Amino acid sequence: MLRINVVWVHTQGQLQEQAVQLEPGACLQDALRACNLTLHSAQSCGIWGRVKALDQALQAGDRVEVYQSLKVDPKVARRERFAQQGARSAGLFASRRAYSKAGY
C-alpha cells in the first residue's frame, strides 16, 4: 500500500491535509478521488511543488498538492503597492541618508 498525503486549500482559505492509502500503481487522479476532490478549470495539481499530469504514477510518501490560479498578477500588485507608497516620501525611500544610493 502507498501512503500519500493530499493537500489543498478549502473554500474558506483553510489548508486541508489528508493521508490516504492507495494500491501500488495508483495515479494522481486516484489520490484526488480518495479525498472526494474534483479539479476545476482554474486548478491544477502536482507532486511536491511540481505540476504533473493526472495520470502521473505515485510513489510511497508523495505529497499531492492542488493548486489554484493566481487572482492578481504579481507584477501588477507590486506596481499598485509602489503607487500607494508614493515615489520618494514613503517606504524604502523615506529614511534615505544624504548622498546615498536609492534604497539605502
Side-chain angles (χ1 to χ4, degrees), residues 28 39 44-57 67:
L28 267 171
L39 290 182
S44 59
C45 64
I47 301 171
W48 289 108
R50 297 181 187 262
V51 177
K52 302 288 184 178
L54 288 175
D55 60 352
Q56 175 71 36
Y67 311 118

Side-chain angles (χ1 to χ4, degrees), residues 4-86:
I4 308 294
N5 288 328
V6 181
V7 180
W8 71 96
V9 175
H10 198 264
T11 55
Q12 289 86 17
Q14 298 290 331
L15 182 68
Q16 302 289 318
E17 184 170 358
Q18 184 175 351
V20 294
Q21 297 278 344
L22 299 173
E23 296 293 326
C27 63
L28 267 171
Q29 193 164 13
D30 297 330
L32 297 176
R33 271 194 215 117
C35 295
N36 295 323
L37 295 175
T38 56
L39 290 182
H40 302 290
S41 60
Q43 293 177 324
S44 59
C45 64
I47 301 171
W48 289 108
R50 297 181 187 262
V51 177
K52 302 288 184 178
L54 288 175
D55 60 352
Q56 175 71 36
L58 296 172
Q59 298 175 0
D62 277 346
R63 176 183 165 112
V64 174
E65 302 165 343
V66 178
Y67 311 118
Q68 296 181 4
S69 63
L70 295 175
K71 293 176 177 44
V72 178
D73 181 25
K75 290 182 181 179
V76 172
R78 184 174 186 276
R79 282 189 206 115
E80 289 175 359
R81 280 195 314 272
F82 190 77
Q84 288 176 351
Q85 252 177 322

